[in-house]
Amino acid sequence: MCGIVGYIGQKQVCPILINGLKRLEYRGYDSAGIAIVNGETSVYKKQGKVSELEKFISNKDLTGTIGMGHTRWATHGEPNDVNAHPHVSQNGYFTIIHNGIIENYARLKRKLETRDYVFKSETDTEVLANLIEFIYLKGKVSVELAVRLALTKVIGAYGIVVYCKNEPEQLVAARKGSPLVIGIGDDEYFIASDATPIVEHTKSVIYLNNDNVAILKRNELVIKTLDDIKLKPKIQKLNLEIGEIEKNGYEHFMLKEIFEQPKSILDTFRGRVAKDLTEIRLGGLYDVMDRLINARRIIIIGCGTSWHAGLVGEYLFEEYARIPVEVEYGSEFRYRNPVIYEDDVVIAISQSGETADTLAAISLAKENKALVLGICNVVGSSIPRETHAGVYTHAGPEIGVASTKAFTAQVTVLAMMAILISRKKKQITQEEYENLIKELVSIPDKIEQILKLNDEFKRIAGLYKDATNFLYLGRGYFFPVALEGALKLKEISYIHAEGYPAAEMKHGPIALIDEKMPVVVIATKDKSYEKIVSNIQEVKARKGIVIAVITEGDLVIKNMADHVLEVPKSKTALAALLAVVPLQLLSYHIAVMRGCNVDQPRNLAKSVTVE
Ligand code: G6P
């Protein structure tokens, strides 16, 4: 939620900020603003997307080599110009941008009001700006100390960048909960919520840890703890190319990311499958393998699409590793006093590695001494750093807010883990193991074949773009795929859609079916094929429209359904990786035809760093 970017150096800051904000816009796009220092501090902010801000500043003098920018996903106060960041403290000393939530802001605000502070916005961030100023003026302390003291009074999450006009040659940044990355250039420093605004300028970065404060000057960087202990930061090399975060000719990031799946899945198992296809090697799990194979139970935690991947994981681990699995939403798990045993293994799944609820669930699991593993996409993000071990998905940057390639990469990792544990526990023979590996490595080519049918998926999308409701049905491994298909549609096209286990249809959703209701049924050939055929009959008997995802060449369902989306044959355990692709494309085309902003759907953000 919210993207922040700052710069201090030799270059003109405005283009750095605006380009940075465009890259961070996936984190929120309710409003955007920048502050540029050139003697005076000029603040420009506008409701709406970064493009609105760009129009607004087009005739302004934007000279300056120090500045900060923010793109907002509103928490406190509606999206408007006043609530947009940066916020300036009452007496104009401090300018601040913030990602996160100050939970005790109301109490702090009341205290400041008794000290004659009057607030212009409804935000928690203005409270922080005024708190820093109050401490600075009253305590006659340095800017850095004022920031550190103010933060000790704050409960909540923050990634902040602060500028004070009295110490004009520096920016101060701090984080707790919300991510911050510092980029190191020549006599210049960048700071941002993630590396995407930085990668075109430098590949040397430092990931700030919780409770760290950074003091950035043009030729000096100091990092310390909130209680003033200087730290020796670890400089890392970014493994990210600029091309990976551009559209490369595609109309939308989402479409690009759907089409990238053959490559992203290959990147996920690259180097992890022996060349002769006899073995899976997950280096990140070597040290914890004994605990993993002896787990009493696996608890998978995630939010949104990552939770759906976790549900596929449940089927995989139970079928192959024969370990009982529970799949939990981070937000539910953290607040319901769950029973966690020391020999439980908790697997946190997250594309961004920054989801607040998933992170909180990890802390709880660690407190209870469970082994906690991460399956994350963003290298260096908080979850991989908070977990005991894990496996990166290596799907490359995912920028479209609706997750696509991250889902298939997560399922790929879960499949590799389940198959590997299964073999280690001797639940499958070497031959079965190798057959599964062969199947896994065939998936990218099979997805290539599905993508060739894009025009047909688009044609079907055109027929149902004006529907007001959709139902998605699947059984077994395809139940989570049905949930994911429904989520994709509602996220980006704003059509109400529900995913259901196909057999449960009889217990409620069947009442919704009429001749206007498209029902997407995942009906590829597996052990429940006959049952799903019956479910299709039940829909047809009530005049529903059936769009079926089928195994190619299946004439039985082809003759029964109104439309079919064909996918190649595959082993059931991995078929979720195929079945989801036509559903992603169906939602994509429907959303485009409805004129929706596919990459930045209303009210959503890619990375939910608040509760
Ligand atoms: C947001 C995004 C979803 C994502 C979910 C979990 O809601 O819009 O696409 O699935 O967060 O995010 P994570 O980064 O933890 O996978």
Side-chain angles (χ1 to χ4, degrees), residues 356-540:
D357 285 321
T358 309
L359 269 162
I362 289 171
S363 304
L364 185 63
K366 278 166 70 183
E367 277 164 30
N368 285 276
K369 306 212 165 32
L371 172 70
V372 185
L373 309 178
I375 297 179
C376 292
N377 196 37
V378 178
V379 176
S381 57
S382 299
I383 292 178
R385 290 187 292 142
E386 290 296 321
T387 42
H388 297 119
V391 184
Y392 278 118
T393 46
H394 293 314
E398 190 182 64
I399 295 175
V401 165
S403 186
T404 52
K405 66 173 179 171
F407 174 79
T408 46
Q410 289 163 347
V411 171
T412 303
V413 168
L414 289 162
M416 284 194 289
M417 285 175 73
I419 298 167
L420 175 61
I421 298 169
S422 182
R423 181 64 195 131
K424 289 215 179 273
K425 289 181 75 173
K426 303 224 172 355
Q427 301 285 354
I428 47 172
T429 63
Q430 181 63 22
E431 192 187 345
E432 287 166 323
Y433 182 48
E434 291 178 19
N435 284 339
L436 282 162
I437 296 174
K438 268 188 214 126
E439 187 67 42
L440 181 66
V441 300
S442 75
I443 294 290
D445 283 346
K446 291 181 179 172
I447 294 185
E448 263 333 332
Q449 288 178 46
I450 300 171
L451 295 171
K452 288 191 186 131
L453 304 176
N454 184 30
D455 286 345
E456 171 62 1
F457 304 154
K458 187 173 175 182
R459 186 188 68 78
I460 298 170
L463 302 174
Y464 299 105
K465 67 177 181 6
D466 297 320
T468 44
N469 294 290
F470 266 73
L471 191 59
Y472 285 72
L473 302 176
R475 300 178 83 110
Y477 284 97
F478 304 119
F479 161 50
V481 175
L483 291 176
E484 178 58 10
L487 177 64
K488 287 293 85 86
L489 188 71
K490 63 189 146 197
E491 288 184 295
I492 60 170
S493 70
Y494 319 138
I495 296 175
H496 170 246
E498 284 192 54
Y500 251 88
E504 275 294 302
M505 177 181 68
K506 293 189 275 305
H507 301 288
I510 200 161
L512 298 169
I513 294 173
D514 61 14
E515 65 283 359
K516 293 199 205 83
M517 176 72 129
V519 183
V520 179
V521 189
I522 301 133
T524 50
K525 286 207 169 139
D526 71 351
K527 62 176 190 238
S528 358
Y529 179 74
E530 262 79 44
K531 312 269 175 217
I532 204 99
V533 168
S534 307
N535 297 136
I536 291 177
Q537 301 282 17
E538 287 156 11
V539 176
K540 286 311 302 168

